[in-house]
């Protein structure tokens, strides 16, 4: 561990936290009715993107070896399937709670992670491949998930009329 | 310099390059007419976002002490002003060229940058503040610009009907 490594982990966590804060602010500023609108004509609804982001962030838990998913049922509804009426889809109120639950659980885990721990492999890469591609580590996964969040944040801002 | 430092500079550059490649692929797949459409009702046009991203990326050159902006006139049209008809706005053909010019210039500079060089301060922070906030370095600026690109990429994908 050296100073630059510590600094770098902080930089990546700062970018992640900034995007969670921006998404929280946006979601909190939108009514349930506004969230149920499509972000653009014939595009995903805000509530689908809320569920999608929650499901993807929930998936970080097993990928980083931090535990099981909290809400595994979301994957089928919000990742494997496109935005469509599904009887098992949770209400907006429940999804808002899940979103906070998942991000709070991640924050608690991240605060305990050592700097060196971030450079360990994640669970979507084999030990063999990781030797050849040491960039496929936990920190890199968080960089990618932050960009994913930024991508959908750009779309969700369209719900502010 | 050590292996992890090299690795995390690579991770940030990989994320940047991935987003430039995704944007290039999208821009190349769209006709000039498609780019001139709004990405969503009453939102920016594709060509405005192309100019905006070009202007922001051009601004990285002086911020990282790599030289002057190549197309300083873009700032007024695509950053300081919203999307509106302006006689001095370059054509789509010209903007596509500027976009490539700026990103190619950045790539050439980045390929010569030392790992330690990425942890120097950038030019939007004073020497005094940099002592207190060493995270305000060049690599962090590139992390932020990558998230900025991801945010607008999410919007630009709506031009694919």
């Amino acid at each position: 561990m050296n100073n630059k490594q510590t600094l770098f982990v902080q930089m990546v966590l700062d970018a992640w936290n900034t995007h969670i804060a921006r998404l929280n602010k946006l979601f909190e500023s939108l009514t349930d009715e506004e969230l149920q609108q499509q972000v653009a004509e014939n595009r995903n609804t805000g509530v689908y993107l809320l569920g999608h982001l929650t499901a993807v962030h929930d998936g970080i838990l097993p990928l980083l070896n931090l535990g099981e998913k909290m809400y595994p049922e979301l994957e089928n509804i919000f990742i494997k399937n496109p935005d469509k009426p599904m009887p098992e889809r949770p209400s907006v109120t429940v999804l808002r709670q899940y979103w906070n639950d998942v991000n709070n659980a991640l924050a608690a885990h991240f605060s305990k992670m050592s700097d060196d721990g971030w450079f360990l492999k994640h669970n979507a890469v084999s030990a063999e491949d990781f030797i050849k591609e040491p960039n496929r580590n936990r920190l890199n996964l968080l960089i990618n998930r932050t960009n994913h969040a930024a991508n959908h944040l750009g779309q969700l801002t369209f719900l502010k009329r």
Side-chain angles (χ1 to χ4, degrees), chain A:
Chain A
M1 193 167 90
N2 62 50
N3 285 343
K4 285 210 177 95
Q5 185 181 332
T6 299
L7 191 58
F8 183 71
V9 170
Q10 280 173 357
M11 284 154 56
V12 173
L13 282 172
D14 281 350
W16 168 262
N17 290 331
T18 295
H19 282 82
I20 298 300
R22 286 181 188 164
L23 283 161
N24 282 343
K25 189 178 170 192
L26 180 62
F27 288 139
E28 286 161 19
S29 76
L30 295 167
T31 64
D32 289 2
E33 291 65 34
E34 286 172 322
L35 259 183
Q36 274 152 343
Q37 305 297 309
Q38 292 180 331
V39 296
E41 198 183 346
N42 295 321
R43 301 293 171 172
N44 290 321
T45 58
V47 71
Y48 179 83
L49 289 175
L50 169 61
H52 175 73
L53 285 163
T54 305
V56 168
H57 291 193
D58 199 17
I60 297 175
L61 290 166
L63 281 171
L64 299 196
N65 226 24
L66 302 172
E68 295 301 306
K69 284 185 185 178
M70 299 172 73
Y71 307 109
E73 68 276 17
L74 300 182
E75 181 174 355
N76 187 53
I77 313 171
F78 295 111
I79 298 180
K80 293 193 173 166
N81 276 288
D83 194 354
K84 63 180 181 184
M86 293 178 80
E88 63 270 39
R89 186 190 276 199
S91 70
V92 184
T93 308
V94 168
L95 281 175
R96 288 180 187 272
Q97 187 59 53
Y98 287 3
W99 165 253
N100 286 323
D101 292 347
V102 166
N103 291 318
N104 289 340
L106 288 173
H109 284 293
F110 292 171
S111 71
K112 287 179 282 184
M113 204 118 120
S114 72
D115 286 354
D116 284 338
W118 281 108
F119 286 86
L120 298 177
K121 83 174 194 69
H122 58 66
N123 288 329
V125 60
S126 69
E128 202 172 35
D129 286 344
F130 187 61
I131 294 168
K132 289 175 281 182
E133 301 175 282
N135 60 307
R136 297 178 69 180
N137 55 49
R138 298 173 182 195
L139 199 57
N140 202 42
L141 190 133
L142 196 64
I143 292 174
N144 293 337
R145 291 298 181 278
T146 304
N147 280 311
H148 176 262
N151 184 301
H152 289 305
L153 173 61
Q155 301 172 335
L156 282 159
T157 54
F158 290 164
L159 289 175
K160 297 296 288 180
R161 314 286 178 194

